[in-house]
Amino acid sequence: MIELEAQDLGIGYAGKRLVEKLNFTVHSGDYLCILGENGSGKTTLMKTILGLKAPICGSLEFGEGLKASEIGYLPQQADLQRDFPASVEEVVRSGCLGRMKLRPFYSRAEKALADERMKELGITALRRRCYRDLSGGQQQRVLLARAMVATTRMLLLDEPVTGLDPEVTKELYRDIEMLNKDQGITVITISHDVEEALKYATHVLYIGGRLFFGARDEYLRHIGGEAAREPENAAEGGHAE
């Protein structure tokens, strides 16, 4: 089932056009890795998917029943966000806010869902801890749990392992893989950690120079292993969609 489809999509901000003629399709259960140089438009594309920015041209359509407000989103963290003075439980439950509208209190089912997500990511013991007192890896797990509370269909992850040590990075990637393979959640992620990210991706979208969209193995055949580790070279080896 198609979850997301872009046709001749153009994206940008403040009158600046970053990418044109983006064509890609995301099916239920896909794991799409978005690669490209700094400033190529990866985060802008994610914000366009979320409805935070309007397309400049072309179309971006969701699959049946999916709305931008129902997508789980783990953004890049700013220093101010890392110092957020709330409990882990409060942060995770806040993933429900998008569907609560004017309702002031969490339902029993929403609280139970937050509990289940914390359990799945091994952070139940942290539920009463203040978010700002956690390590970087613990904070990312909390934000991932929050994003999981927001959706059962699609997760958008913007540089989810930035600043984490190698072992914590591997653990977080394994958590994301579990959500994708075991729960069937569609994952769209931006990553500079190309070699690690490609271990789990089913598809690759490269933005910058000539565009590429296709299966991971196709990307590796077109671009080659060395270029896959150095995405700035990918524009010369990919194919336009």
Side-chain angles (χ1 to χ4, degrees):
M1 180 175 69
I2 293 177
E3 296 273 18
L4 183 68
E5 184 171 23
Q7 295 185 345
D8 292 330
L9 179 66
I11 59 171
Y13 61 92
K16 181 180 180 181
R17 188 168 297 197
L18 295 175
V19 186
E20 296 181 289
K21 298 187 181 302
L22 273 177
N23 291 281
F24 63 91
T25 303
V26 180
H27 291 85
S28 178
D30 282 353
Y31 190 133
L32 175 65
C33 186
I34 302 175
L35 305 177
E37 302 170 16
N38 288 335
S40 60
K42 300 185 298 296
T43 296
T44 300
L45 173 58
M46 213 165 250
K47 290 181 178 179
T48 304
I49 293 171
L50 290 165
L52 302 176
K53 292 185 179 296
I56 292 176
C57 59
S59 66
L60 186 67
E61 302 290 339
F62 291 104
E64 183 178 352
L66 181 64
K67 301 176 182 177
S69 61
E70 297 172 331
I71 297 173
Y73 179 45
L74 197 165
Q76 294 186 49
Q77 275 206 91
D79 290 337
L80 181 62
Q81 292 169 313
R82 292 189 179 93
D83 199 39
F84 192 64
S87 72
V88 166
E89 183 177 70
E90 290 171 326
V91 173
V92 175
R93 287 179 176 179
S94 69
C96 298
L97 294 177
R99 56 179 174 270
M100 290 176 62
K101 297 183 180 179
L102 298 178
R103 179 160 47 87
F105 302 109
Y106 298 115
S107 68
R108 182 177 300 176
E110 288 164 345
K111 292 178 181 178
L113 176 61
D115 290 345
E116 182 63 24
R117 295 314 196 194
M118 286 189 286
K119 181 180 178 181
E120 289 171 352
L121 292 178
I123 57 174
T124 300
L126 303 176
R127 64 187 307 149
R128 305 299 184 193
R129 293 273 303 276
C130 184
Y131 175 80
R132 65 184 176 190
D133 294 335
L134 304 180
S135 68
Q138 289 171 331
Q139 287 188 344
Q140 286 300 83
R141 274 201 171 83
V142 172
L143 294 180
L144 183 56
R146 180 188 184 278
M148 289 164 59
V149 165
T151 186
T152 59
R153 290 179 62 177
M154 180 179 288
L155 284 173
L156 268 58
L157 313 172
D158 191 350
E159 298 289 358
V161 299
T162 298
L164 304 183
D165 65 53
E167 188 57 38
V168 174
T169 292
K170 290 180 181 179
E171 291 175 358
L172 194 62
Y173 273 125
R174 285 195 292 267
D175 290 337
I176 296 168
E177 182 190 28
M178 176 271 294
L179 297 174
N180 176 246
K181 288 189 173 180
D182 296 349
Q183 299 189 24
I185 293 177
T186 304
V187 173
I188 301 178
T189 184
I190 295 171
S191 180
H192 282 105
D193 187 2
V194 178
E195 189 170 5
E196 191 70 25
L198 286 178
K199 290 180 182 178
Y200 308 103
T202 61
H203 295 76
V204 176
L205 174 64
Y206 184 88
I207 299 176
R210 296 180 65 189
L211 305 175
F212 175 94
F213 171 69
R216 177 191 60 185
D217 291 346
E218 182 186 2
Y219 173 81
L220 293 174
R221 283 196 303 270
H222 276 270
I223 311 305
E226 187 62 31
R229 289 188 288 274
E230 299 181 19
E232 62 271 19
N233 297 327
E236 299 177 11
H239 65 276
E241 288 291 319

